Amino acid sequence: MDAFEYRNKTLFCENVRIDDIISEVGTPAYIYSKNAILVRYNDLQTAFRDIDTLICFSVKSNSNLSICKTLAEAGSGFDVVSGGELFRAIKAGGDPLKIVFAGVGKMDREIRYALENNIFMFNVESVAELEHISKLAGEVGKKPRVALRINPDIDPKTHAKTTTGKKENKFGIDFTEAERIIRQSARYSSVDLCGLHVHLGSPIYTADPYARALKKILAFIQKCRNAGLDIEYLNIGGGYCISYTGEDVIQPKDYARKILPLVKEMQCNLIMEPGRFIVGNSGVLISRIIYTKETLHHRKFVICDAAMNDLIRPALYDAFHRIWPVNSNIKMPEVENFSKAILKRGMELVDIVGPVCETSDTFATNRALPKIQEGDLLAIFSAGAYGFTMSSTYNSRPRPCEVLVDGDCYHIIRERETYEDLVRGEDL
Ligand code: LLP
């Protein structure tokens, strides 16, 4: 949980009581710890410091300007997948020379925007895209660095919807096609083809899929070099896991132990694109109980004011998030395993749901929770990554505010949306 801990039965973020923040900003609210974000960034940097490594924070995981600024100031680069993310990264103070641009469907206007800003590298996902970038770069007399995103056909053993490196996925270029591109690289005279990129999916709970992919890539780099093309950069993408349950998970040094020897053998500079690892456990979503209700079938529902529009991961991926009252006499278990609910005295099994008109608007089913009542606050943990960024205004629900805690202080880093925000730009 990183910077979130219970002191005297109430939840704190760093040195600030969650209760105090909520009494000012209301609910639902995302609350992040600046220190946790920086500690995570530094952990990764330390684990991989043996070789020249550029960490590009994956903006899709949390694109708030203040979060990006925090990371930019720490020296981070950025992994973007759209013109909008590039805009955010630059606005937050990101150095364009540390920005990599991925995605299967870059549009010409986004490519031009990236060229204007002289970003560090395009991660290219198809021949068609390579042709577009080469043509557009030629038109403005530039020669951008390009990495081919390889689809190595490796199963990262994660959720099917977040698996990206298998042959049936839309991402990347298979080795046969990549070899053809390398042989014909002279055709793309307005790009500097100097890198390879791979992103297998996320979250990935062992280093093995990375190692297996890198072994295949190592052989391919040799082929490139034999063909006279030097591959200077290897981008291994993101996907580094976090603990959603409190159980121990693999740490950066464990990934590094398996990945670094292979990258050293390749003699490449390393780029990585972590998102979740840096921000996932650095943020919580706080929600207030609106009602509780029990059905004739003895099913007890806790209805809270956050919903699937605020945090869609449970609805979309059946993702597990720990949930516990902000104030509780019962200690949150160190480890909570979704397959075994531990019911102690004073607890009950409940379904935690939101107000949206969909059955999938469920954060947890049959979850053991201390008895709670209307008005109580719940903390939904591990919500710092793919929480706010995947939020929507479905059911015309204004999006939550976001708060960044720094030691004893906190700042609202995004205002809560209003009804007026919901209709902005619409015409009658
Ligand atoms: N690089 C590329 C090319 C990616 O597509 C992604 C994530 C990342 C890096 C960062 O992955 P991370 O280190 O954050 O795991 N919305 C989902 C995950 C889908 C991520 C898509 N791409 C979730 O809520 O778990």
Side-chain angles (χ1 to χ4, degrees), residues 256-281:
R257 200 176 306 125
K258 284 222 163 170
I259 291 172
L260 278 182
L262 288 159
V263 181
K264 280 184 188 162
E265 212 177 322
M266 293 173 189
Q267 297 180 311
C268 284
N269 296 322
L270 183 63
I271 301 173
M272 49 203 308
E273 304 171 336
R276 183 189 327 266
F277 179 80
I278 292 177
V279 286
N281 272 336

Side-chain angles (χ1 to χ4, degrees), residues 58 60-61 79 81 102-103 123 125 149 161-162 164 171 197 199 201-203 237-240 244 273-277 313 316-317 385-386 390:
S58 194
K60 66 177 84 62
S61 64
D79 151 45
V81 289
N123 296 332
E125 308 227 11
R149 177 170 178 173
K161 287 187 180 163
T162 59
T164 55
F171 300 97
H197 173 231
H199 172 76
S202 65
Y240 317 99
Y244 282 97
E273 304 171 336
R276 183 189 327 266
F277 179 80
R313 303 191 71 256
L316 196 58
Y317 315 121
Y386 308 105
M390 293 179 82

Side-chain angles (χ1 to χ4, degrees), residues 394-428:
Y394 183 43
N395 278 202
S396 283
R397 290 169 44 87
R399 271 178 289 211
C401 62
E402 295 179 281
V403 175
L404 183 62
V405 175
D406 182 8
D408 301 322
C409 315
Y410 67 90
H411 307 278
I412 298 173
I413 55 172
R414 192 182 207 272
E415 295 285 347
R416 180 179 305 288
E417 282 182 356
T418 63
Y419 290 155
E420 281 304 321
D421 291 330
L422 289 180
V423 295
R424 180 152 304 124
E426 289 183 36
D427 206 1
L428 279 180

Side-chain angles (χ1 to χ4, degrees), residues 360-385:
S360 58
D361 184 23
T362 299
F363 288 123
T365 310
N366 270 327
R367 187 68 68 84
L369 207 66
K371 285 205 170 96
I372 44 170
Q373 49 191 348
E374 268 181 53
D376 286 353
L377 293 175
L378 283 183
I380 305 176
F381 291 95
S382 312

Side-chain angles (χ1 to χ4, degrees), residues 172-238:
I173 301 168
D174 61 55
F175 283 111
T176 315
E177 180 86 304
E179 210 177 320
R180 200 160 34 232
I181 295 173
I182 300 299
R183 268 191 272 109
Q184 299 175 351
S185 59
R187 278 170 57 174
Y188 312 106
S189 55
S190 292
V191 300
D192 176 11
L193 192 48
C194 59
L196 295 178
H197 173 231
V198 62
H199 172 76
L200 300 171
S202 65
I204 304 177
Y205 286 94
T206 74
D208 293 345
Y210 292 95
R212 276 186 287 130
L214 292 191
K215 279 180 193 149
K216 286 187 171 186
I217 286 174
L218 179 61
F220 184 68
I221 286 186
Q222 214 42 62
K223 279 189 180 174
C224 295
R225 290 189 176 142
N226 292 344
L229 196 78
D230 192 21
I231 299 296
E232 290 171 67
Y233 298 95
L234 177 74
N235 182 338
I236 56 170

